[in-house]
Amino acid sequence: MTSQRVRDTKYRIAETAMGMFLDQGYENVTVEAVAEAAQVSRRTVFRHFSGKVELPFPDHAERIALVERRLREGDPDKDPVEVVIAATEDSLRDFLTRPELVLQRYQLTRVVTELRNREVIEHERYVAHTLAYLRERLGEGPSYRPMGLAAVIDAIHRSALGDWVRSGGRTDAVAQLQTGMSWVRSLVARADDDRAMLVAVLPDSDLTRRGLAALRDAARDEL
């Protein structure tokens, strides 16, 4: 079986399961019933999914791998925040390639707490990868900076996707994400400006000393 056929089978099982969960209730549907409805064996279901709770999430492992790859292959000379932003946009675009699956899963996770909790875990895995990348690449600076940036980038991503699913797919999630990321860039720029320092070499004279004293007095709160 080709990789595309394997992938198609995986998604068919997931979509069949979600439809049954919505129609019959999550607790009332067995893996065996899903296998029969999807016209595959029980063994095939477990080849793709570790258990029933995984059935609505056929795409998350692939998406985490996509983000990992984008971070790993990011230009080492590029601003690490920009690399994370680009990986996040790629992740959102990948979400939107299967809109019906995302919309159906949203309905399901609103009513099944176990699945909602599983979804939260997947989001945490994404944040863990971006946080590790930012910690490694941002270098010296306050320890909260990588964590804060990873969290706010993820929050904007989830907000854009959340608005999209709640609207039934009618909002422009990518445009909303890009607007949010422009705000992140402005935060980073302001933080960099706050840390900026001017270093100069000046002649040692009375005039220079008086000028430096005046600057010191004017900027006393900054020193």
Side-chain angles (χ1 to χ4, degrees):
M1 186 179 289
T2 65
S3 59
Q4 185 58 49
R5 287 182 63 191
V6 170
R7 194 167 183 266
D8 289 346
T9 298
K10 181 179 183 180
Y11 277 88
R12 188 176 77 252
I13 294 168
E15 289 161 358
T16 299
M18 285 193 287
M20 295 175 71
F21 293 158
L22 287 169
D23 290 342
Q24 302 173 34
Y26 177 73
E27 299 297 337
N28 300 322
V29 177
T30 64
V31 171
E32 289 76 14
V34 171
E36 182 178 354
Q39 299 182 326
V40 297
S41 68
R42 183 177 184 276
R43 181 178 179 181
T44 297
V45 174
F46 282 110
R47 185 179 301 133
H48 293 290
F49 303 95
S50 61
K52 181 179 171 180
V53 72
E54 299 291 335
L55 288 171
F57 306 103
D59 51 335
H60 277 190
E62 294 176 9
R63 191 165 301 109
I64 290 293
L66 169 66
V67 170
E68 286 181 311
R69 187 166 63 252
R70 292 290 186 269
L71 296 178
R72 185 173 61 251
E73 296 174 354
D75 185 344
D77 296 325
K78 191 173 183 179
D79 181 346
V81 176
E82 290 296 334
V83 174
V84 171
I85 287 174
T88 302
E89 184 172 327
D90 285 345
S91 173
L92 179 62
R93 290 184 184 279
D94 189 65
F95 257 115
L96 301 179
T97 59
R98 288 185 178 266
E100 291 306 318
L101 182 146
V102 177
L103 292 171
Q104 192 176 37
R105 181 166 58 211
Y106 174 75
Q107 295 179 52
L108 191 58
T109 55
R110 296 316 93 183
V111 297
V112 182
T113 301
E114 185 177 358
L115 297 179
R116 175 59 178 164
N117 292 340
R118 186 69 188 83
E119 189 171 52
V120 169
I121 291 171
E122 292 296 335
H123 282 302
E124 291 303 319
R125 288 178 62 200
Y126 164 78
V127 177
H129 286 298
T130 57
L131 174 57
Y133 178 84
L134 289 172
R135 277 178 170 162
E136 178 185 352
R137 299 302 180 92
L138 282 178
E140 294 183 3
S143 59
Y144 59 77
R145 193 179 187 214
M147 183 175 293
L149 285 168
V152 75
I153 289 171
D154 176 61
I156 292 169
H157 177 219
R158 285 191 289 162
S159 176
L161 184 60
D163 287 349
W164 183 85
V165 294
R166 284 188 291 272
S167 74
R170 290 187 295 274
T171 64
D172 188 338
V174 174
Q176 186 174 334
L177 178 73
Q178 291 172 338
T179 298
M181 294 309 162
S182 294
W183 179 68
V184 171
R185 292 185 181 98
S186 73
L187 292 178
V188 173
R190 285 201 296 272
D192 289 342
D193 287 345
D194 288 343
R195 293 195 308 273
M197 299 182 65
L198 175 64
V199 178
V201 178
L202 301 170
D204 186 3
S205 66
D206 289 342
L207 180 61
T208 297
R209 289 176 178 273
R210 287 196 299 272
L212 290 175
L215 287 172
R216 180 197 62 204
D217 292 341
R220 190 177 299 278
D221 290 341
E222 299 292 333
L223 297 174

